[in-house]
Amino acid sequence: LPRFESKFKKTNGCWEWQANISIYGYGYFWMDRKNQRAHRVAYKLYKGDIPSGMIVCHSCDNRKCVNPDHLWIGSNADNQIDCVVKGRNYEQNKTHCPAGHEYTPENTKVNKKTHHRKCRKCCRQLQRIYTKKKLGVVLPPFPSIYTQGEQNA
């Protein structure tokens, strides 16, 4: 415990990990002959075992934090819901599709099961290309679904 506690600094509620940090921003600590994420070690040391298949989540959204009061047990789905509710979801924050069309209510299809968004303009263009191929229409090599769609839409 003293070795672990020497690796973080207490700042405004969070206990910020000062030692090894991964490229993803999580602290790492060597324990039980393996490198482990520091927040998971903190949970084990201060709160107890982590149930199989569960993950340790941060209520403070600070990946370096190892304060047990900021850590909670949940499933990956729980963590994703927390991420969306707090507005930290990468996909949720996108405003345009890969082709540059804006995600507006009129131009966005949402899958009812997965809640994934699709651009209606791009879907229409893909459908046109699929239909032309099915009918045997010869298309130019490597058609750009994005620029071709703007001309026909």
Side-chain angles (χ1 to χ4, degrees):
L1 196 62
R3 186 169 74 86
F4 181 81
E5 289 180 340
S6 71
K7 307 282 184 189
F8 61 83
K9 181 168 49 172
K10 295 181 181 182
T11 58
N12 15 317
C14 287
W15 299 359
E16 290 239 345
W17 191 253
Q18 304 294 304
N20 298 335
I21 306 287
S22 76
I23 60 170
Y24 302 107
Y26 291 98
Y28 271 87
F29 184 71
W30 184 264
M31 189 173 98
D32 297 333
R33 295 185 181 187
K34 61 184 174 181
N35 223 3
Q36 301 181 47
R37 286 191 173 175
H39 66 287
R40 291 180 62 84
V41 173
Y43 192 92
K44 289 178 199 174
L45 291 173
Y46 297 104
K47 289 193 166 184
D49 289 335
I50 301 166
S52 179
M54 301 302 271
I55 62 174
V56 178
C57 308
H58 292 88
S59 60
C60 60
D61 298 332
N62 179 356
R63 294 177 180 184
K64 293 179 186 177
C65 182
V66 294
N67 183 343
D69 293 336
H70 294 187
L71 304 175
W72 53 281
I73 292 292
S75 66
N76 193 39
D78 295 331
N79 198 31
Q80 291 303 313
I81 290 168
D82 183 56
C83 182
V84 169
V85 167
K86 293 177 178 175
R88 292 184 294 103
N89 182 284
Y90 170 73
E91 292 295 327
Q92 177 189 20
N93 295 331
K94 284 185 179 177
T95 58
H96 292 74
C97 78
H101 305 124
E102 189 175 5
Y103 282 127
T104 62
E106 302 79 31
N107 187 42
T108 307
K109 268 175 134 177
V110 179
N111 182 310
K112 290 178 183 172
K113 237 182 204 178
T114 64
H115 302 286
H116 289 147
R117 297 181 298 174
K118 285 186 178 181
C119 171
R120 288 184 188 274
K121 286 182 182 177
C122 291
C123 287
R124 277 195 303 270
Q125 185 57 29
L126 284 170
Q127 186 60 47
R128 285 185 193 119
I129 289 171
Y130 172 78
T131 303
K132 285 179 182 178
K133 281 184 179 178
K134 197 170 180 182
L135 295 173
V137 175
V138 178
L139 296 172
F142 305 104
S144 171
I145 64 169
Y146 305 118
T147 56
Q148 206 173 7
E150 290 299 325
Q151 296 165 0
N152 298 335

